[in-house]
């Protein structure tokens, strides 16, 4: 029963990441909207530019900006958003599974 639950959970997570991610909004979320209050977004040849006075003007790109999976895409191609979501789910499961395995192993060795 437990194994079926985990398999079903994994399949559901992969389907959601692979399919539903294509329907995600490209508009700013609540935090982005809040930090942009007082500014206007202007499209330029190099991307977006902010005019006015707001918190977002002092923001910088994060350290993962140039990586292959940045901005929920693969290599900047928006058509691969679902694949990037699936890779993210697999990486999260691998990290969580490894952490749980280490915790269980350390508890088992202390019990002996």
């Amino acid at each position: 029963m437990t194994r079926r639950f985990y398999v079903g959970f994994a399949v559901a997570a992969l389907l959601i990441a692979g399919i539903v991610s294509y329907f995600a909004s490209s508009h700013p979320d609540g935090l982005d909207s809040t930090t942009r209050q007082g500014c206007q977004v202007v499209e330029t040849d190099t991307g977006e530019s902010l005019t006015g006075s707001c918190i977002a003007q002092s923001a910088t790109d994060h350290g993962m900006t140039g990586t292959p999976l940045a901005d929920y895409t693969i290599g900047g191609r928006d058509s691969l958003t679902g694949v990037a979501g699936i890779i993210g789910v697999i990486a999260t499961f691998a990290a969580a599974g490894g952490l749980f395995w280490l915790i269980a192993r350390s508890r088992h060795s202390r019990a002996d």
Side-chain angles (χ1 to χ4, degrees):
M1 180 72 173
T2 304
R3 177 180 225 107
R4 284 193 341 193
F5 170 77
Y6 287 126
V7 169
F9 181 79
V11 168
L14 290 169
L15 284 173
I16 289 169
I19 296 170
V20 177
S21 59
Y22 285 106
F23 299 104
S25 175
S26 61
H27 297 292
D29 62 17
L31 179 61
D32 285 336
S33 294
T34 301
T35 60
R36 290 181 180 191
Q37 285 181 353
C39 283
Q40 294 278 345
V41 178
V42 178
E43 293 291 332
T44 64
D45 293 336
T46 59
E48 291 181 347
S49 177
L50 296 174
T51 61
S53 178
C54 63
I55 297 170
Q57 287 178 318
S58 62
T60 59
D61 287 337
H62 56 80
M64 303 291 283
T65 299
T67 62
L69 295 176
D71 295 327
Y72 307 106
T73 63
I74 296 179
R77 292 188 299 255
D78 290 334
S79 63
L80 298 176
T81 299
V83 178
I86 289 171
I87 292 170
V89 166
I90 292 170
T92 302
F93 282 166
L99 183 62
F100 293 150
W101 179 78
L102 285 173
I103 291 170
R105 185 175 168 191
S106 70
R107 285 186 178 180
H108 180 70
S109 66
R110 278 190 285 165
D112 290 340

